[in-house]
Amino acid sequence: MTISENELLLREGKKIVEALGRTLAPMVEVVLHDLTRPASSIVAISNNLSGREVGDPTTVIGLARITDPDFPDILQNYPNQFPDGRPAKSTSIGLRNSGGEYVAALCLNVDVSMLTSVAASLSQLAQTEPADTPIRESLASPRLDELRATLDRFAAELNKTPHALSPAQRRQAVQQLADLGLMDLKNAQAVVASMLGVARPTVYSYLPQKDPSP
């Protein structure tokens, strides 16, 4: 079956989205827009960090490309923001057909908040203390670190961050933590609520409900 040039560009673009999304997970969202239908331009999204779906409309930059054929082919490393307020760094690549018309846009959105957290952790890891520093101890439960690591691992296996989990995935994650006994730790609900970006009562509602004693 013969397909048009525009359809071919979109078909090949979907492959790029899938490959880049898997390669750059969990910190980079990759999106393909069909600029010939701005009202429902998203045709592929990988490593979803923004909560958008296939069929959602194009962005302001997408509309600018549609209306201005002289709009730059590449916008690189410009500041952006996810719907929940997390800072992002974005790159948008316009794809033209042989007639010079914009057909699609390939967009990459980096979760800068994750990189900031990693940078802070590496900075802390590199710090040293003078040899005569007194012994220090931490009163924090080491198992809370296990809880955080388990939740991060659960999200990473889905190519997501904890903030980007769907309600059903959040419930599954909390139930997994509960099965491991990690939700019984002091301050566990507060830690999980912060990582998921939800209120503590929401976390409580995700916990398995125990049958009342007869």
Short mmCIF file of all heavy atoms in Angstrom, two decimals, residues 100-156:
data_model
loop_
_atom_site.label_atom_id
_atom_site.label_comp_id
_atom_site.label_asym_id
_atom_site.label_seq_id
_atom_site.Cartn_x
_atom_site.Cartn_y
_atom_site.Cartn_z
N GLY A 100 8.93 21.83 1.52
CA GLY A 100 9.33 22.84 2.48
C GLY A 100 8.28 23.17 3.52
O GLY A 100 8.45 24.11 4.31
N GLU A 101 7.20 22.41 3.57
CA GLU A 101 6.12 22.66 4.53
C GLU A 101 6.37 21.88 5.82
O GLU A 101 6.79 20.71 5.78
CB GLU A 101 4.78 22.24 3.94
CG GLU A 101 4.42 22.96 2.66
CD GLU A 101 3.20 22.34 1.99
OE1 GLU A 101 3.08 21.09 2.05
OE2 GLU A 101 2.39 23.08 1.42
N TYR A 102 6.11 22.52 6.95
CA TYR A 102 6.22 21.81 8.22
C TYR A 102 5.12 20.76 8.30
O TYR A 102 3.93 21.06 8.15
CB TYR A 102 6.09 22.77 9.39
CG TYR A 102 7.37 23.50 9.74
CD1 TYR A 102 7.43 24.89 9.72
CD2 TYR A 102 8.52 22.80 10.10
CE1 TYR A 102 8.60 25.55 10.05
CE2 TYR A 102 9.68 23.45 10.42
CZ TYR A 102 9.73 24.83 10.40
OH TYR A 102 10.89 25.48 10.72
N VAL A 103 5.53 19.54 8.56
CA VAL A 103 4.59 18.42 8.69
C VAL A 103 4.51 17.95 10.15
O VAL A 103 3.44 17.62 10.65
CB VAL A 103 5.03 17.24 7.80
CG1 VAL A 103 4.14 16.03 8.04
CG2 VAL A 103 5.00 17.65 6.34
N ALA A 104 5.65 17.95 10.83
CA ALA A 104 5.69 17.39 12.18
C ALA A 104 6.73 18.14 13.01
O ALA A 104 7.55 18.90 12.49
CB ALA A 104 6.03 15.90 12.12
N ALA A 105 6.67 17.90 14.31
CA ALA A 105 7.67 18.44 15.23
C ALA A 105 8.03 17.36 16.24
O ALA A 105 7.15 16.70 16.80
CB ALA A 105 7.14 19.68 15.94
N LEU A 106 9.33 17.17 16.43
CA LEU A 106 9.83 16.22 17.41
C LEU A 106 10.35 17.03 18.60
O LEU A 106 11.22 17.89 18.43
CB LEU A 106 10.96 15.39 16.80
CG LEU A 106 11.58 14.30 17.68
CD1 LEU A 106 10.56 13.19 17.95
CD2 LEU A 106 12.81 13.71 17.00
N CYS A 107 9.81 16.77 19.77
CA CYS A 107 10.12 17.59 20.94
C CYS A 107 10.67 16.73 22.08
O CYS A 107 10.18 15.63 22.34
CB CYS A 107 8.88 18.32 21.43
SG CYS A 107 8.14 19.38 20.15
N LEU A 108 11.70 17.27 22.75
CA LEU A 108 12.30 16.60 23.91
C LEU A 108 12.18 17.54 25.11
O LEU A 108 12.55 18.72 25.01
CB LEU A 108 13.77 16.28 23.67
CG LEU A 108 14.09 15.22 22.60
CD1 LEU A 108 14.15 15.86 21.22
CD2 LEU A 108 15.41 14.53 22.91
N ASN A 109 11.66 17.03 26.21
CA ASN A 109 11.47 17.82 27.42
C ASN A 109 12.21 17.14 28.58
O ASN A 109 11.85 16.03 28.99
CB ASN A 109 9.98 17.94 27.75
CG ASN A 109 9.21 18.58 26.60
OD1 ASN A 109 9.56 19.65 26.13
ND2 ASN A 109 8.18 17.89 26.12
N VAL A 110 13.24 17.81 29.09
CA VAL A 110 14.08 17.25 30.15
C VAL A 110 13.55 17.72 31.50
O VAL A 110 13.33 18.92 31.71
CB VAL A 110 15.54 17.69 29.99
CG1 VAL A 110 16.41 17.03 31.05
CG2 VAL A 110 16.05 17.38 28.60
N ASP A 111 13.35 16.78 32.42
CA ASP A 111 12.94 17.13 33.78
C ASP A 111 14.16 17.66 34.54
O ASP A 111 14.96 16.89 35.07
CB ASP A 111 12.37 15.89 34.48
CG ASP A 111 11.79 16.21 35.85
OD1 ASP A 111 12.08 17.30 36.40
OD2 ASP A 111 11.05 15.37 36.39
N VAL A 112 14.31 18.98 34.58
CA VAL A 112 15.47 19.59 35.21
C VAL A 112 15.47 19.36 36.71
O VAL A 112 16.54 19.31 37.34
CB VAL A 112 15.51 21.10 34.88
CG1 VAL A 112 16.68 21.78 35.57
CG2 VAL A 112 15.61 21.31 33.38
N SER A 113 14.29 19.22 37.31
CA SER A 113 14.22 19.03 38.76
C SER A 113 14.94 17.74 39.16
O SER A 113 15.57 17.67 40.21
CB SER A 113 12.76 18.99 39.22
OG SER A 113 12.08 17.84 38.73
N MET A 114 14.84 16.70 38.30
CA MET A 114 15.54 15.46 38.60
C MET A 114 17.05 15.66 38.54
O MET A 114 17.80 15.16 39.38
CB MET A 114 15.12 14.36 37.62
CG MET A 114 13.71 13.87 37.80
SD MET A 114 13.32 12.49 36.70
CE MET A 114 14.43 11.23 37.33
N LEU A 115 17.51 16.42 37.55
CA LEU A 115 18.94 16.66 37.42
C LEU A 115 19.46 17.49 38.59
O LEU A 115 20.57 17.28 39.07
CB LEU A 115 19.22 17.37 36.10
CG LEU A 115 18.93 16.56 34.83
CD1 LEU A 115 19.13 17.42 33.59
CD2 LEU A 115 19.81 15.33 34.77
N THR A 116 18.64 18.45 39.04
CA THR A 116 19.04 19.28 40.18
C THR A 116 19.22 18.42 41.42
O THR A 116 20.18 18.58 42.18
CB THR A 116 17.99 20.37 40.43
OG1 THR A 116 17.85 21.17 39.26
CG2 THR A 116 18.41 21.26 41.60
N SER A 117 18.29 17.47 41.61
CA SER A 117 18.38 16.57 42.76
C SER A 117 19.62 15.70 42.67
O SER A 117 20.33 15.50 43.67
CB SER A 117 17.11 15.70 42.83
OG SER A 117 17.21 14.76 43.86
N VAL A 118 19.90 15.18 41.47
CA VAL A 118 21.09 14.35 41.29
C VAL A 118 22.35 15.16 41.54
O VAL A 118 23.30 14.69 42.20
CB VAL A 118 21.11 13.75 39.86
CG1 VAL A 118 22.44 13.09 39.59
CG2 VAL A 118 19.97 12.74 39.70
N ALA A 119 22.38 16.40 41.04
CA ALA A 119 23.55 17.25 41.23
C ALA A 119 23.79 17.52 42.71
O ALA A 119 24.93 17.51 43.19
CB ALA A 119 23.38 18.57 40.47
N ALA A 120 22.71 17.75 43.46
CA ALA A 120 22.84 18.00 44.89
C ALA A 120 23.36 16.76 45.60
O ALA A 120 24.19 16.86 46.51
CB ALA A 120 21.49 18.43 45.46
N SER A 121 22.88 15.59 45.17
CA SER A 121 23.33 14.35 45.80
C SER A 121 24.81 14.10 45.52
O SER A 121 25.56 13.69 46.41
CB SER A 121 22.51 13.17 45.26
OG SER A 121 21.16 13.32 45.59
N LEU A 122 25.24 14.37 44.27
CA LEU A 122 26.65 14.17 43.94
C LEU A 122 27.54 15.15 44.69
O LEU A 122 28.64 14.81 45.13
CB LEU A 122 26.85 14.34 42.43
CG LEU A 122 26.24 13.25 41.54
CD1 LEU A 122 26.40 13.60 40.07
CD2 LEU A 122 26.90 11.90 41.84
N SER A 123 27.05 16.39 44.86
CA SER A 123 27.82 17.39 45.61
C SER A 123 28.00 16.95 47.05
O SER A 123 29.09 17.06 47.63
CB SER A 123 27.10 18.74 45.55
OG SER A 123 27.78 19.70 46.34
N GLN A 124 26.92 16.41 47.61
CA GLN A 124 27.00 15.93 48.99
C GLN A 124 27.93 14.73 49.10
O GLN A 124 28.72 14.61 50.05
CB GLN A 124 25.60 15.54 49.48
CG GLN A 124 25.58 15.05 50.92
CD GLN A 124 24.17 14.72 51.38
OE1 GLN A 124 23.21 14.98 50.66
NE2 GLN A 124 24.04 14.14 52.55
N LEU A 125 27.88 13.86 48.08
CA LEU A 125 28.73 12.68 48.09
C LEU A 125 30.21 13.05 48.05
O LEU A 125 31.05 12.39 48.64
CB LEU A 125 28.38 11.78 46.90
CG LEU A 125 29.16 10.47 46.75
CD1 LEU A 125 28.89 9.55 47.94
CD2 LEU A 125 28.79 9.78 45.46
N ALA A 126 30.53 14.16 47.35
CA ALA A 126 31.92 14.56 47.19
C ALA A 126 32.49 15.32 48.38
O ALA A 126 33.69 15.52 48.48
CB ALA A 126 32.06 15.43 45.94
N GLN A 127 31.62 15.74 49.30
CA GLN A 127 32.09 16.51 50.45
C GLN A 127 32.92 15.63 51.39
O GLN A 127 32.65 14.45 51.56
CB GLN A 127 30.90 17.09 51.23
CG GLN A 127 30.21 18.23 50.51
CD GLN A 127 29.04 18.77 51.32
OE1 GLN A 127 28.71 18.25 52.38
NE2 GLN A 127 28.42 19.82 50.82
N THR A 128 33.94 16.24 51.97
CA THR A 128 34.77 15.55 52.96
C THR A 128 34.80 16.37 54.25
O THR A 128 34.48 17.56 54.26
CB THR A 128 36.21 15.37 52.45
OG1 THR A 128 36.77 16.67 52.16
CG2 THR A 128 36.22 14.51 51.18
N GLU A 129 35.18 15.72 55.33
CA GLU A 129 35.28 16.36 56.63
C GLU A 129 36.73 16.28 57.11
O GLU A 129 37.45 15.34 56.76
CB GLU A 129 34.37 15.66 57.66
CG GLU A 129 32.88 15.71 57.32
CD GLU A 129 32.28 17.08 57.54
OE1 GLU A 129 32.98 17.92 58.17
OE2 GLU A 129 31.15 17.32 57.08
N PRO A 130 37.17 17.26 57.89
CA PRO A 130 38.52 17.17 58.47
C PRO A 130 38.69 15.89 59.26
O PRO A 130 37.73 15.34 59.81
CB PRO A 130 38.61 18.40 59.37
CG PRO A 130 37.58 19.35 58.82
CD PRO A 130 36.48 18.48 58.28
N ALA A 131 39.93 15.40 59.32
CA ALA A 131 40.20 14.12 59.98
C ALA A 131 39.82 14.13 61.45
O ALA A 131 39.49 13.10 62.03
CB ALA A 131 41.68 13.78 59.83
N ASP A 132 39.84 15.32 62.09
CA ASP A 132 39.56 15.36 63.53
C ASP A 132 38.09 15.65 63.83
O ASP A 132 37.73 15.97 64.97
CB ASP A 132 40.44 16.42 64.22
CG ASP A 132 40.22 17.81 63.64
OD1 ASP A 132 39.51 17.92 62.61
OD2 ASP A 132 40.76 18.79 64.21
N THR A 133 37.23 15.55 62.79
CA THR A 133 35.80 15.77 63.02
C THR A 133 35.24 14.69 63.94
O THR A 133 35.50 13.50 63.73
CB THR A 133 35.03 15.73 61.69
OG1 THR A 133 35.52 16.76 60.85
CG2 THR A 133 33.54 15.92 61.92
N PRO A 134 34.48 15.08 64.97
CA PRO A 134 33.89 14.07 65.87
C PRO A 134 32.96 13.12 65.11
O PRO A 134 32.43 13.46 64.06
CB PRO A 134 33.09 14.91 66.87
CG PRO A 134 33.65 16.29 66.76
CD PRO A 134 34.13 16.44 65.36
N ILE A 135 32.79 11.95 65.65
CA ILE A 135 31.87 10.98 65.05
C ILE A 135 30.46 11.55 65.06
O ILE A 135 30.01 12.12 66.06
CB ILE A 135 31.91 9.65 65.84
CG1 ILE A 135 33.28 9.00 65.69
CG2 ILE A 135 30.80 8.71 65.36
CD1 ILE A 135 33.46 7.75 66.51
N ARG A 136 29.79 11.40 63.96
CA ARG A 136 28.42 11.89 63.87
C ARG A 136 27.49 10.71 63.61
O ARG A 136 27.88 9.74 62.98
CB ARG A 136 28.28 12.91 62.74
CG ARG A 136 29.13 14.16 62.95
CD ARG A 136 28.90 15.16 61.85
NE ARG A 136 29.73 16.33 62.03
CZ ARG A 136 29.68 17.41 61.25
NH1 ARG A 136 28.84 17.44 60.23
NH2 ARG A 136 30.47 18.45 61.48
N GLU A 137 26.28 10.84 64.06
CA GLU A 137 25.30 9.80 63.80
C GLU A 137 24.03 10.43 63.26
O GLU A 137 23.83 11.63 63.39
CB GLU A 137 24.99 9.00 65.07
CG GLU A 137 24.28 9.82 66.15
CD GLU A 137 23.92 8.98 67.35
OE1 GLU A 137 24.24 7.79 67.35
OE2 GLU A 137 23.32 9.53 68.28
N SER A 138 23.20 9.62 62.63
CA SER A 138 21.92 10.08 62.11
C SER A 138 20.81 9.35 62.84
O SER A 138 20.89 8.14 63.05
CB SER A 138 21.83 9.81 60.61
OG SER A 138 20.53 10.08 60.15
N LEU A 139 19.79 10.11 63.24
CA LEU A 139 18.65 9.51 63.91
C LEU A 139 17.55 9.11 62.94
O LEU A 139 16.53 8.58 63.34
CB LEU A 139 18.09 10.49 64.95
CG LEU A 139 19.07 10.91 66.05
CD1 LEU A 139 18.41 11.89 66.99
CD2 LEU A 139 19.58 9.70 66.81
N ALA A 140 17.76 9.40 61.66
CA ALA A 140 16.76 9.03 60.65
C ALA A 140 16.76 7.53 60.43
O ALA A 140 17.80 6.88 60.47
CB ALA A 140 17.06 9.74 59.33
N SER A 141 15.56 7.01 60.20
CA SER A 141 15.43 5.57 59.97
C SER A 141 16.07 5.19 58.64
O SER A 141 15.71 5.74 57.59
CB SER A 141 13.96 5.16 59.95
OG SER A 141 13.82 3.86 59.46
N PRO A 142 17.02 4.25 58.65
CA PRO A 142 17.62 3.83 57.37
C PRO A 142 16.60 3.17 56.46
O PRO A 142 16.78 3.12 55.24
CB PRO A 142 18.72 2.86 57.80
CG PRO A 142 18.32 2.38 59.16
CD PRO A 142 17.61 3.54 59.79
N ARG A 143 15.51 2.67 57.03
CA ARG A 143 14.51 2.01 56.19
C ARG A 143 13.70 3.01 55.37
O ARG A 143 13.09 2.63 54.37
CB ARG A 143 13.58 1.15 57.05
CG ARG A 143 14.28 -0.01 57.74
CD ARG A 143 13.33 -1.18 57.96
NE ARG A 143 12.96 -1.82 56.71
CZ ARG A 143 11.87 -2.61 56.59
NH1 ARG A 143 11.09 -2.81 57.64
NH2 ARG A 143 11.58 -3.17 55.45
N LEU A 144 13.67 4.29 55.78
CA LEU A 144 13.02 5.29 54.93
C LEU A 144 13.78 5.46 53.62
O LEU A 144 13.20 5.73 52.58
CB LEU A 144 12.91 6.63 55.66
CG LEU A 144 11.82 6.73 56.72
CD1 LEU A 144 11.85 8.09 57.39
CD2 LEU A 144 10.43 6.47 56.12
N ASP A 145 15.11 5.30 53.69
CA ASP A 145 15.89 5.33 52.45
C ASP A 145 15.52 4.15 51.56
O ASP A 145 15.47 4.27 50.33
CB ASP A 145 17.39 5.28 52.77
CG ASP A 145 17.89 6.56 53.42
OD1 ASP A 145 17.24 7.61 53.23
OD2 ASP A 145 18.91 6.52 54.13
N GLU A 146 15.27 3.01 52.19
CA GLU A 146 14.84 1.84 51.43
C GLU A 146 13.48 2.09 50.78
O GLU A 146 13.24 1.70 49.63
CB GLU A 146 14.75 0.62 52.36
CG GLU A 146 14.33 -0.66 51.66
CD GLU A 146 14.17 -1.83 52.64
OE1 GLU A 146 14.58 -1.70 53.81
OE2 GLU A 146 13.63 -2.88 52.22
N LEU A 147 12.59 2.78 51.52
CA LEU A 147 11.27 3.11 50.98
C LEU A 147 11.42 4.02 49.75
O LEU A 147 10.82 3.77 48.70
CB LEU A 147 10.44 3.82 52.05
CG LEU A 147 9.01 4.23 51.69
CD1 LEU A 147 8.12 4.21 52.93
CD2 LEU A 147 8.99 5.64 51.09
N ARG A 148 12.24 5.06 49.87
CA ARG A 148 12.44 5.98 48.74
C ARG A 148 13.01 5.24 47.53
O ARG A 148 12.57 5.44 46.39
CB ARG A 148 13.37 7.12 49.15
CG ARG A 148 12.81 8.05 50.23
CD ARG A 148 13.76 9.21 50.48
NE ARG A 148 13.30 10.06 51.55
CZ ARG A 148 13.67 9.94 52.82
NH1 ARG A 148 14.53 8.98 53.18
NH2 ARG A 148 13.20 10.75 53.75
N ALA A 149 14.01 4.40 47.79
CA ALA A 149 14.65 3.68 46.70
C ALA A 149 13.67 2.72 46.02
O ALA A 149 13.67 2.56 44.80
CB ALA A 149 15.86 2.91 47.21
N THR A 150 12.82 2.08 46.82
CA THR A 150 11.84 1.13 46.26
C THR A 150 10.83 1.86 45.39
O THR A 150 10.48 1.39 44.30
CB THR A 150 11.11 0.39 47.40
OG1 THR A 150 12.07 -0.31 48.20
CG2 THR A 150 10.11 -0.60 46.85
N LEU A 151 10.36 3.04 45.84
CA LEU A 151 9.39 3.80 45.05
C LEU A 151 10.03 4.34 43.77
O LEU A 151 9.42 4.30 42.69
CB LEU A 151 8.84 4.95 45.90
CG LEU A 151 7.74 5.81 45.25
CD1 LEU A 151 6.63 4.95 44.69
CD2 LEU A 151 7.19 6.80 46.27
N ASP A 152 11.27 4.81 43.87
CA ASP A 152 11.98 5.28 42.67
C ASP A 152 12.16 4.14 41.67
O ASP A 152 12.00 4.32 40.46
CB ASP A 152 13.37 5.83 43.05
CG ASP A 152 13.31 7.27 43.53
OD1 ASP A 152 12.40 8.00 43.08
OD2 ASP A 152 14.17 7.66 44.33
N ARG A 153 12.49 2.95 42.19
CA ARG A 153 12.70 1.80 41.32
C ARG A 153 11.40 1.39 40.63
O ARG A 153 11.38 1.04 39.44
CB ARG A 153 13.28 0.64 42.14
CG ARG A 153 13.71 -0.55 41.31
CD ARG A 153 14.65 -1.45 42.11
NE ARG A 153 14.08 -1.86 43.39
CZ ARG A 153 14.53 -1.45 44.57
NH1 ARG A 153 15.55 -0.61 44.65
NH2 ARG A 153 13.97 -1.87 45.69
N PHE A 154 10.29 1.42 41.37
CA PHE A 154 8.97 1.08 40.81
C PHE A 154 8.66 2.00 39.63
O PHE A 154 8.24 1.55 38.56
CB PHE A 154 7.90 1.21 41.88
CG PHE A 154 6.50 0.95 41.39
CD1 PHE A 154 5.94 -0.32 41.45
CD2 PHE A 154 5.72 1.98 40.87
CE1 PHE A 154 4.65 -0.57 40.99
CE2 PHE A 154 4.44 1.75 40.41
CZ PHE A 154 3.90 0.47 40.47
N ALA A 155 8.88 3.31 39.83
CA ALA A 155 8.58 4.28 38.77
C ALA A 155 9.52 4.11 37.58
O ALA A 155 9.10 4.19 36.42
CB ALA A 155 8.67 5.69 39.33
N ALA A 156 10.80 3.88 37.87
CA ALA A 156 11.79 3.75 36.79
C ALA A 156 11.48 2.56 35.88
O ALA A 156 11.72 2.61 34.67
CB ALA A 156 13.19 3.61 37.38
#
